[in-house]
Amino acid sequence: MRSLTDIFDEYDFLDGDDRYRLLIDLGRTLEPMPDALKTDATMVRGCSASVWVYPVPRDDGQLHFLADSNAAITKGIVALVLAAVQDKPAAEVADMDVAAALAPFDLTRQLSSNRTQGVPNMIALVRDTARRIAAG
């Protein structure tokens, strides 16, 4: 997965429609999430589309996430959230201000409120999961 800085460098250079396409393309780069992991327990509440996020703690202490959505742009948004936290130590993710990391993208100005309403819930799920894993 590309770094958030890399993604922003490209995003910042683009106009509205191309930014939308970039997010969709970003969603296409997510690792496939097995259907068996798309359960009520992994579903993000409050999103206009269905979104699933599944944590995969690694032996080296890094936290890896699998995610998917049934809507292309929403899948891109969840990929953007994951770009901020992917493969970092659980304690670091738990303490991270993910919303601040995503602030330069100004998603609320780029996308409809329906598309962005679930972002705080995606962030909360990722951070709550990281806190639980870090606490061991």
Side-chain angles (χ1 to χ4, degrees):
M1 176 170 274
R2 293 169 53 193
S3 74
L4 201 57
T5 303
D6 265 1
I7 297 166
F8 181 73
D9 288 346
E10 183 176 354
Y11 186 86
D12 193 39
F13 180 74
L14 300 172
D15 67 9
D17 286 344
D18 288 332
R19 286 178 173 183
Y20 197 82
R21 280 190 279 286
L22 173 66
L23 288 173
I24 291 171
D25 289 343
L26 189 61
R28 290 182 182 132
T29 68
L30 285 175
E31 295 173 60
M33 182 178 185
D35 286 340
L37 297 177
K38 296 175 189 174
T39 66
D40 196 53
T42 61
M43 184 173 271
V44 178
R45 307 283 176 239
C47 294
S48 59
S50 295
V51 177
W52 301 271
V53 177
Y54 183 80
V56 182
R58 298 215 165 146
D59 291 338
D60 62 0
Q62 307 292 316
L63 187 55
H64 188 80
F65 290 93
L66 298 176
D68 199 1
S69 176
N70 64 348
I73 190 65
T74 305
K75 190 171 180 175
I77 293 167
V78 76
L80 191 62
V81 170
L82 294 187
V85 300
Q86 195 71 289
D87 299 327
K88 294 186 184 212
E92 181 181 331
V93 173
D95 292 338
M96 179 184 244
D97 187 344
V98 179
L102 298 177
F105 290 88
D106 199 12
L107 293 175
T108 56
R109 289 195 53 192
Q110 301 301 319
L111 303 167
S112 70
S113 61
N114 280 353
R115 297 288 184 208
T116 58
Q117 70 185 5
V119 173
N121 297 348
M122 289 177 206
I123 293 169
L125 184 138
V126 165
R127 290 189 65 216
D128 289 348
T129 300
R131 276 190 205 102
R132 194 173 60 253
I133 291 169

